[in-house]
Each structure stands twice: as C-alpha cells, then as structure tokens.
Amino acid sequence: MTDSTAAATPPQKGVLGWIERVGNRLPDPVVLFLWLVGMLVVISAIASAAGWSALHPTEVDPETGRQKVIAATSLLSADNIARLWVEMPATFTHFHPLGYVLVVMLGAGVAERSGLFGTAMRASVRGAPTWMLTPLVAFVAMMGNLAADAAYVVLIPLAAVIYHAAGRHPVAGIAAAFAGVSGGFSANLLPGQLDALLFGITEAAVETVFGDWQANIAGNWYFIAAMLIIFLPVIWYVTDRIIEPRLGTYVPAGLAAKGDIGEQDRPLNDGERKGLRHAGLAILLVVGLWLLFTLGPGTPLIAEDGPPEGRFTPFYQSLVAGFFLLFLLAGWAYGRATGVVGNHRDLVKMMSESMGDMAYYLVLAFAAAHFVAMFAWSNLGLILAVHGADGLKAMDLPAPVLLAAIVLLTAALNLFVGSASAKWALLAPVLVPMLMLLGISAEMTTAAYRVGDGATNIITPLMVYFPLILIFCQRWQPSFGLGSLAATMLPYSIGLLVTGMALVIGWVALDLPLGPGASVHIAVPTATP
C-alpha cells in the first residue's frame, strides 16, 4: 500500500481550508456536550434571575383556570443539583435513543460479522451491465445504510474494483458509492437503525414540552423511500455526465497496491450462495411472523379498542424488535450455511462484539442524555419554543419555507459537527416543539433535518470516513488529494441538497403522509382545563 500515501496533502486554502481549520479546533462531540452543559448552567441561572417565563401551550393551572406560567429554573438551585446527582443513572438509562439503538445493533452486529451484509452487497453489484453500474451502485449504497459501517468499508472499495473491471474510472465508482452511502445517508426503502436513533431523540424532545409521546420509527418511511427514488437519478447523472468526464481516461498505475481489495470482486462461492438463500428464508420467516402478529388470531400488534389513528401504534413500536430479530436470524442463517457460526457461542460472541463497537456511542449518549435532561429541567427549551413559535407566527412564513430553512441550517452545521445524533440532540429540543406549536409534526421536522444532514457529509473533511475514502482513491490515483476529493464530491452535495429541499417543499405543499400514521401537519397543541 505504498501508493496510498504517495500524495502529500498540502495545506488547503479558501473556504474549504477555513472549514477544515475551524472544524479541527472543535472538541470531540462528547466534550462539546459537556461544554454545552456548563454554558446551560450559566444561562439557566441568568434566565431565572431575569424572570424569563412563558405560558405553557397545553397545561392549565387548576387554581386559576388559565394557562400555566412556566418560569426558567436555575440548574444551580438545590433541587436541580440534587436531581443531577441522585438521578444520574436514570437520566442515562432512560435516554430514549439508547434502548432503540442497542436493540437493533444486537441483531445488525450478527448480520455484519457473519459476512451477510458484505456478501449481499457484492452479489448486488457484480456482473451488472456497464451502463447500469452507476444506478445499481447508488441503489445498493443507499440501501447499504442498513449495514452502517459495512457499507463504507465493503461497498465503496468494491465499486472501484468493479468500475475498473468494466473499463471505467475507479474513482468514479468510489464517488458514486460514497455519494449514495453518505450523501444519501437517510435514503432507504426500509426504516433501520438510523430511524430508531433519530426518532428516539425526537421523542425525548417532544416530551420536554408536551409530556408522553411515543416515537414511531416508521414515521419517515414513505419520505426516505422517496429520497432514494429522487437521489438515484441525481447520483447517476452527476457520476456519468460530470465526474467521470472530468476525471478523464483512467491510466492504471501502482496495480500492486490494489491486491488487498481485488479479492472483494471475486465470484460468490457455493457456501456464500447457500448462505444468502438461507438468509432470505430467515427474512421471510420474520416477515411472516410479524404478519401473523398483526393480522392473525388475537391481533397482538393491533390495538382494536383504540382510536382509528392509534390502532397500529403497537405495530409501529414493535418494529425495533422486528428489525433486531430479522438481522439476528438472517445473520445466523447465513453464518451457519457458510460455517462462520458454528454454535450458539459464536452467535453470542458476535452480539457481544457489536456492543463493543457501541462503546463510543454509549459515552456520547451519556453526555447527550444529561444535556437534554438538564435542558428540560431548566424549562429553557419550552420557553424558547413558545417565544420562537410566536415570532415565526408573527412573520407568517409558510411551512415549506420554515422547513427549507431547517434543511439549510442542518447542512451548514454538518460541516462542523459530523455526528447525526449529536447534531439532532442539539437541535431537536428547540426545533421540534417550536414547529409543533405551528402545526408541523415532529416527523416532518425530523425528515427535514435528515435531508440537510446527509447532503454535506461528502464534502467536509471532518466526516469520520472522509480520510478513509481519500485513501481508497489514492490506491487508484496516487496524486489524488483532499482538495481533489472535496471538488469531486461537491456536485453531488449541491445536487442532493437542491433535490432534497425540493422534496421537502413539495411534500409539505402536497401534504403527503410521511409514513404509516405520520402526517405533515398536526393540530396545534392547546391548553385545555
């Protein structure tokens, strides 16, 4: 791999260099949350002393019969200091995204470590006609988000190998796959672990103002499927019409350096084909089981006595467990067929190792959980949401404009803070309640956030996989530098941002359902006796 380090990366100038320098000075997201907690403590003390308050949008004071007045509370008060230390274990373990993500990852870790995800992606793109390479790679890349990190480390270098074998520029294959995996980060035909993660944060944000609210991880299902459909031609056009002509004719160099990834293009062996068949049967089994639970005797996943809009709530809430079981059984079936999983001990080991991969997330979740909880204790989230909603209502901006602004805000913030969960934990406690007070659902606000979060992933050097993608490119073109990668991905970023924003605006204008039981608009929560 000597060629992978042949190209020195010179100091970057201009806007890209400024972003890189500023972003590199930012602390790790964990430390960033701790800093924010410190700032929150100071601001809460000032707000309490200044008498900041707001009328609660949904609660009534039983003594006066009027809307309850919510005042800012100092986090330095005796009650809040005691609450911090006494409730610390509960604050962490009750953080909504934590349970969702850990449950899904228990199953997804088995599917990844057994080799199912990698083999499925290889099987999807091998042998495709040359003209179909780009749309197929883009499609598999966006669907590959279900596999999380596996899509980066398996599909992206594999795309380069396949493009090279087809006589096309390998870097174009890397760019198309990177655009799909990272630029189309939320686009998918199925909800997955990212939905569980983001809606867990959304649920916590809603509850800071409106009390109990159950997240539906399928609440963006239709929207993310539409994202995949409209992003596919964008990635196809940019790759074949802009990027590949710009890269010019590929001249092979340093082929010895590619031996470590050429193995990924080998044909599937009999064991892998058998494993995929068994995994497919396992998936059909889980789908059939959930259909039985939903439509069979007793309908345990249907609340028949509930209101019409709430009858499918148990089904939606069961999807986290459903994806856990689907990934677990499919990974186990594949591993048994290929010999990777010999007995139950191998299965337990894979599940344990997947939890090891979540170690950093647990640390981040601990810091984020306390920031979100303390934000709620101070009442600042509710006060900002109410006054922010009043200000936006006075401006009389249409809903599409508000949501387009969220897309742009998220895209800009993403240049500096790459973690999707970290950004949403910062934004959701204010944005979600504020827009709910304007009649925009939590699901719609989450969808707008997801568009902005993905679009600029592929142009910021602060994205954790950006250096890895650069090394993949340098394996094929040693002179390829950081600026080359950013310039290559910029047309994708612009295309995905523009089309994603158009999708958000069109979705709101047409008032289309975002997912089962999830609409764009809601009744504005009001105070009732």
Side-chain angles (χ1 to χ4, degrees):
M1 287 200 359
T2 54
D3 283 346
S4 66
T5 58
T9 303
Q12 297 296 305
K13 299 180 180 180
V15 175
L16 182 64
W18 178 81
I19 291 172
E20 183 179 5
R21 290 190 299 273
V22 172
N24 284 337
R25 295 192 187 105
L26 289 175
D28 184 274
V30 174
V31 177
L32 180 62
F33 271 114
L34 296 178
W35 284 10
L36 289 172
V37 166
M39 294 170 58
L40 181 62
V41 170
V42 174
I43 293 172
S44 70
I46 295 173
S48 177
W52 293 5
S53 65
L55 296 176
H56 198 289
T58 61
E59 292 185 9
V60 171
D61 189 331
E63 295 182 359
T64 63
R66 299 178 180 177
Q67 282 179 274
K68 181 182 291 186
V69 177
I70 302 298
T73 302
S74 172
L75 292 172
L76 294 176
S77 67
D79 288 344
N80 276 330
I81 291 175
R83 194 175 192 179
L84 171 65
W85 302 118
V86 172
E87 298 183 10
M88 185 171 284
T91 300
F92 178 39
T93 58
H94 292 179
F95 188 48
H96 292 290
L98 189 62
Y100 293 163
V101 174
L102 294 182
V103 168
V104 173
M105 282 303 299
L106 276 172
V110 173
E112 180 179 355
R113 281 167 172 74
S114 67
L116 172 60
F117 283 153
T119 301
M121 285 188 284
R122 280 174 45 222
S124 300
V125 297
R126 286 196 82 259
T130 301
W131 68 273
M132 278 292 294
L133 273 183
T134 300
L136 189 57
V137 164
F139 175 80
V140 174
M142 286 185 278
M143 291 298 295
N145 285 321
L146 293 171
D149 293 352
Y152 285 97
V153 299
V154 174
L155 180 60
I156 293 178
L158 174 61
V161 175
I162 294 173
Y163 268 63
H164 175 254
R168 300 181 60 177
H169 204 297
V171 173
I174 291 174
F178 187 31
V181 172
S182 196
F185 190 52
S186 284
N188 212 295
L189 295 182
L190 295 171
Q193 51 193 302
L194 180 62
D195 296 80
L197 172 63
L198 295 181
F199 273 108
I201 296 172
T202 301
E203 181 176 316
V206 175
E207 291 185 349
T208 61
V209 176
F210 301 107
D212 187 50
W213 186 81
Q214 296 295 322
N216 165 18
I217 73 163
N220 281 168
W221 192 345
Y222 306 155
F223 184 85
I224 62 175
M227 284 177 67
L228 184 144
I229 292 170
I230 70 164
F231 283 179
L232 188 63
V234 172
I235 296 173
W236 189 356
Y237 178 85
V238 171
T239 302
D240 290 4
R241 299 291 184 177
I242 299 176
I243 299 305
E244 197 162 14
R246 178 178 175 273
L247 290 170
T249 304
Y250 174 63
V251 179
L255 292 177
K258 306 172 190 53
D260 58 335
I261 61 175
E263 175 69 9
Q264 296 179 14
D265 191 38
R266 62 174 173 79
L268 269 63
N269 58 40
D270 291 340
E272 290 170 334
R273 284 191 288 268
K274 179 181 177 182
L276 289 179
R277 290 195 299 269
H278 286 201
L281 292 175
I283 291 171
L284 291 177
L285 173 65
V286 174
V287 171
L289 185 64
W290 246 249
L291 288 175
L292 178 64
F293 289 154
T294 306
L295 305 175
T299 60
L301 295 182
I302 299 293
E304 295 185 350
D305 297 333
E309 66 276 9
R311 289 179 181 173
F312 282 89
T313 298
F315 171 75
Y316 302 147
Q317 294 175 346
S318 76
L319 289 178
V320 172
F323 280 113
F324 156 71
L325 195 62
L326 185 145
F327 289 139
L328 177 66
L329 293 184
W332 172 79
Y334 176 87
R336 289 285 293 181
T338 58
V340 175
V341 178
N343 53 44
H344 70 279
R345 298 183 190 281
D346 294 332
L347 198 66
V348 172
K349 182 180 179 182
M350 290 178 180
M351 296 173 74
S352 301
E353 289 174 349
S354 69
M355 290 298 97
D357 291 344
M358 298 301 293
Y360 174 77
Y361 175 74
L362 292 175
V363 178
L364 177 63
F366 178 82
H370 281 82
F371 172 76
V372 171
M374 294 172 73
F375 201 61
W377 301 344
S378 70
N379 290 330
L380 289 176
L382 187 149
I383 294 170
L384 290 172
V386 170
H387 289 300
D390 289 341
L392 290 174
K393 190 179 298 183
M395 295 170 66
D396 198 25
L397 295 174
V401 174
L402 290 175
L403 291 162
I406 290 177
V407 172
L408 292 175
L409 171 65
T410 305
L413 185 59
N414 193 45
L415 294 172
F416 304 96
V417 182
S419 169
S421 57
K423 286 194 304 295
W424 193 223
L426 290 173
L427 297 174
V430 174
L431 292 182
V432 172
M434 184 170 68
L435 268 69
M436 288 179 72
L437 291 172
L438 296 175
I440 297 173
S441 69
E443 292 87 354
M444 187 66 245
T445 306
T446 305
Y449 168 79
R450 298 175 78 162
V451 171
D453 173 62
T456 51
N457 270 341
I458 51 181
I459 60 172
T460 172
L462 304 178
M463 190 265 181
V464 292
Y465 283 104
F466 203 83
L468 178 65
I469 306 305
L470 179 61
I471 290 176
F472 287 155
C473 292
Q474 289 177 348
R475 287 174 174 172
W476 299 93
Q477 189 170 324
S479 61
F480 208 82
L482 186 66
S484 303
L485 181 55
T488 298
M489 302 311 299
L490 185 59
Y492 293 105
S493 183
I494 295 172
L496 295 177
L497 183 61
V498 170
T499 54
M501 191 178 301
L503 178 66
V504 168
I505 293 171
W507 209 279
V508 176
L510 297 175
D511 198 15
L512 300 174
L514 292 151
S519 59
V520 172
H521 299 286
I522 58 171
V524 177
T526 56
T528 54

